[in-house]
């Protein structure tokens, strides 16, 4: 029977081989911890997956919902060309401040911008600005609003846009249709939306690793 120590050992092996950190990534996690931010960033090999997905997309514009200390932001922003743009939305000013410093140290402050405030407000503002469509959206904020975030992602998308939704497995709790956990309910609502929306084609995958037992969903905006 496989278990957390084994998942961690295998993740450490994969990460050391394929997604090793560097000074900017290590410093981002160090300073996030020092500032008291929770260690709920993506694992390094997941960050590398996001970066590969952005590269496969040929992404020039990335939207992230949920910045924390900017760890996933660094992985994603590094996939962009010099004239690319990443906009990351963060509710807590103290998280955004740490993230901005981490992005600047990584040399990504010209490409990546952190906007503070409730993401639902920032998304409405982006739409009102007539911002260009995003090529990839990474949704990783308050899970209760997951379906709303998928809806906004669609409004800010083009045919072919990739939407990535984090934390959909929830240690298996996602199968509980009667759950009163707002994160489970919000996640199921988003998955239902992906399943039935005529403009979305998606799947979901379970994961184990340093962050336990969870999963992610991918959805592509149809042509
Ligand atoms: N993507 C990050 C982790 C994000 S953790 C990484 O992998 O490195 C989730 C973040 O979403 C937290 O910083 C939290 O403050 C933020 N958040 C929670 N509710 C939010 C909201 N309504 N609008 C914007 N951000 C929110
Ligand atoms: C939590 C949030 C995340 O986005 C994540 O990847 C892991 C944990 C949390 O709120 O506990
Ligand atoms: Mg997450």
């Amino acid at each position: 029977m496989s278990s957390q120590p084994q998942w961690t050992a295998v993740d450490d092996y994969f990460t050391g081989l394929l997604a090793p950190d560097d000074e900017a990534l290590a410093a981002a996690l160090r300073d996030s911890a020092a500032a008291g931010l929770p260690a709920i960033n993506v694992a390094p090999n997941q960050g590398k997956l996001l970066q590969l997905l952005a590269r496969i997309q040929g992404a020039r514009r990335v939207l992230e919902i949920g910045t924390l200390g900017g760890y996933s932001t660094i992985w994603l922003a590094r996939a962009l060309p010099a004239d690319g743009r990443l906009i990351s939305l963060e509710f807590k000013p103290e998280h955004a401040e740490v993230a901005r410093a981490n992005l600047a140290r990584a040399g990504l402050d010209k490409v990546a911008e952190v906007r503070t405030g409730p993401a639902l407000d920032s998304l409405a503002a982006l739409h009102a600005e007539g911002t260009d469509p995003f090529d990839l959206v990474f949704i990783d904020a308050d899970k209760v609003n997951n379906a709303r975030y998928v809806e906004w992602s669609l409004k800010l998308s083009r045919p072919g846009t990739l939407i990535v939704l984090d934390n959909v497995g929830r240690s298996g709790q996602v199968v509980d249709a009667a759950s009163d956990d707002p994160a489970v309910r919000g996640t199921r609502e988003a998955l239902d939306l992906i399943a039935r929306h005529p403009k979305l084609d998606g799947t979901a995958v379970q994961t184990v690793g340093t962050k336990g037992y969870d999963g992610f969903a991918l959805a592509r905006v149809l042509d």
Side-chain angles (χ1 to χ4, degrees), residues 25-40:
L25 286 165
L29 291 184
R30 211 166 46 229
D31 283 6
S32 296
L37 273 52
I40 55 175

Side-chain angles (χ1 to χ4, degrees), residues 172-181 184-186 188-189 192:
Q173 293 176 61
V174 70
V175 295
D176 183 3
S179 175
D180 53 17
D181 178 343
V184 169
R185 296 177 71 91
R188 289 179 60 92
E189 199 190 337
D192 284 343

Side-chain angles (χ1 to χ4, degrees), residues 40-41 140-141 143 166-167 211 214:
I40 55 175
N41 49 273
D140 191 25
K143 313 309 176 190
D166 197 22
N167 310 116
K211 293 187 67 182
D214 211 327

Side-chain angles (χ1 to χ4, degrees), residues 91-154:
F91 177 63
K92 293 193 171 175
E94 62 271 31
H95 292 186
E97 192 183 321
V98 172
R100 288 187 191 109
N102 286 336
L103 288 163
R105 178 174 37 213
L108 294 164
D109 47 337
K110 297 279 187 294
V111 171
E113 167 195 354
V114 182
R115 294 197 181 187
T116 310
L120 289 174
D121 292 355
S122 302
L123 289 161
L126 277 168
H127 191 250
E129 281 170 28
T131 197
D132 287 338
F134 293 95
D135 306 305
L136 185 152
V137 184
F138 178 46
I139 302 175
D140 191 25
D142 50 329
K143 313 309 176 190
V144 66
N145 284 315
N146 268 341
R148 304 290 86 68
Y149 295 148
V150 171
E151 284 167 349
W152 274 113
S153 301
L154 263 168

